[in-house]
Amino acid sequence: MKKVIFLDAGHGGINPKGEYTTSPSKMFNHGEGVFHDDGIFYEGVKNREYCELIKKKLGAEGITVIPVYHPYFDTSLQDRVNIANFYHTNITSGIYISEHSNATRNHNAQGFQVWTSKGNTKSDSIGQKLIDIYEDNFILEEGPELEDDLILLEDDSDGDSDYEANFYVLNKTKMPALLLENLFFDNFEDAEILMQKWYKEKYTDVIVKWVKEII
C-alpha cells in the first residue's frame, strides 16, 4: 500500500463561539492590515486554512491524508503523535507533516524553514527535497506581488539544509516527520504574504509536488 500523509495543523482554531482557542499564544496584533481579526494574525487559523487546501489537493491526486488535528481544539501533541503512530504501526505507513508559521521576540525575522529531529534520519533527505523545490519556486523567481524574492532559511552545519531540534512531533513519531515553519506570522511583510491567495495556492502546490515525489 502506498504511504499516507499524517497532516498536522499546529495549535488551535476558532471555536463555534468565535474564540481563538490558542489565545493569547500563537497570535500577533500588527495594529494594521487585514488578517484574521482586523490587524490580528492567528497562526492556528492560518495553519488550518493551508492544511485544508493541502488535503484537498492531495486527495485530488489520489493520496490519502489522515488529519491528526481538530477543526478548532488545540489537540495535545501526545494525542496527535499517538494517532499517527497507531495508523503507521497497525494500518498503513506514512509521513508526518506539521504546518506552522514562526515568530521571534523582535518580530524582524522572515523566511521559510524545515525542521527535522536531531541526527541523521530518513527525514533529512525528504526535507532537503522540499527545500530544493521551495527554492526553485520561490527563491529563484519573484512572486507576482513581491518586489524581492522570499527568504529561505537554511542550516548547513551538518551537510543538509534543514534545522534540527527535539520537538515532540519530530522526536516521538515512528515515521519520517517534518515541521514546516512557513514564514513568520509576527513579521508584517511575511504575514501579508501568508494571507495572499497566490501564495496559498503556490505554496500548497509545492507541498503536493513534493509529497508526490517522496511517496
Side-chain angles (χ1 to χ4, degrees):
M1 182 180 291
K2 291 183 178 179
K3 286 184 175 4
V4 303
I5 296 300
F6 302 109
L7 193 58
D8 175 21
H11 314 301
I14 302 292
N15 67 20
K17 296 181 180 180
E19 302 165 333
Y20 181 48
T21 60
T22 319
S23 177
S25 180
K26 308 304 177 184
M27 57 185 282
F28 188 78
N29 189 350
H30 289 277
E32 60 177 323
V34 180
F35 298 107
H36 301 108
D37 185 4
D38 291 327
I40 304 175
F41 192 104
Y42 296 138
E43 186 204 345
V45 174
K46 166 258 149 186
N47 293 337
R48 280 160 175 73
E49 291 172 350
Y50 278 64
C51 280
E52 288 301 310
L53 193 51
I54 291 168
K55 182 172 66 174
K56 178 181 178 180
K57 290 182 177 183
L58 287 176
E61 296 288 342
I63 298 170
T64 300
V65 175
I66 299 176
V68 297
Y69 61 94
H70 187 271
Y72 56 86
F73 284 129
D74 188 7
T75 307
S76 72
L77 298 178
Q78 182 177 11
D79 285 348
R80 298 171 198 230
V81 168
N82 285 346
I83 293 168
N85 284 345
F86 175 83
Y87 275 91
H88 180 76
T89 302
N90 298 288
I91 301 175
T92 182
S93 62
I95 295 167
Y96 193 102
I97 303 171
S98 188
E99 172 71 16
H100 289 256
S101 288
N102 214 338
T104 58
R105 290 183 180 180
N106 61 18
H107 317 307
N108 290 328
Q110 292 180 266
F112 174 78
Q113 296 170 294
V114 173
W115 290 80
T116 66
S117 58
K118 290 187 175 182
N120 294 321
T121 68
K122 292 181 180 179
S123 302
D124 292 332
S125 61
I126 62 176
Q128 185 63 55
K129 186 176 290 291
L130 173 57
I131 290 167
D132 293 341
I133 295 173
Y134 188 92
E135 182 175 18
D136 287 344
N137 282 270
F138 288 113
I139 308 303
L140 300 182
E141 63 179 18
E142 297 180 356
E145 298 179 28
L146 289 176
E147 294 181 359
D148 300 309
D149 294 336
L150 290 171
I151 297 170
L152 175 61
L153 299 174
E154 300 175 86
D155 178 5
D156 299 319
S157 59
D158 62 346
D160 50 45
S161 302
D162 63 302
Y163 289 76
E164 297 187 353
N166 286 325
F167 296 148
Y168 192 93
V169 298
L170 302 179
N171 205 33
K172 299 296 184 179
T173 41
K174 296 181 179 179
M175 71 291 298
L178 298 95
L179 187 147
L180 313 180
E181 292 286 12
N182 182 11
L183 308 186
F184 284 72
F185 70 87
D186 65 336
N187 177 278
F188 187 78
E189 291 181 16
D190 270 14
E192 280 199 317
I193 292 169
L194 287 167
M195 297 296 294
Q196 293 177 17
K197 183 177 180 180
W198 76 262
Y199 182 77
K200 291 181 185 179
E201 292 292 337
K202 191 168 183 178
Y203 175 84
T204 53
D205 284 345
V206 162
I207 298 300
V208 170
K209 180 179 179 180
W210 166 60
V211 167
K212 288 171 66 176
E213 291 192 18
I214 64 176
I215 65 172

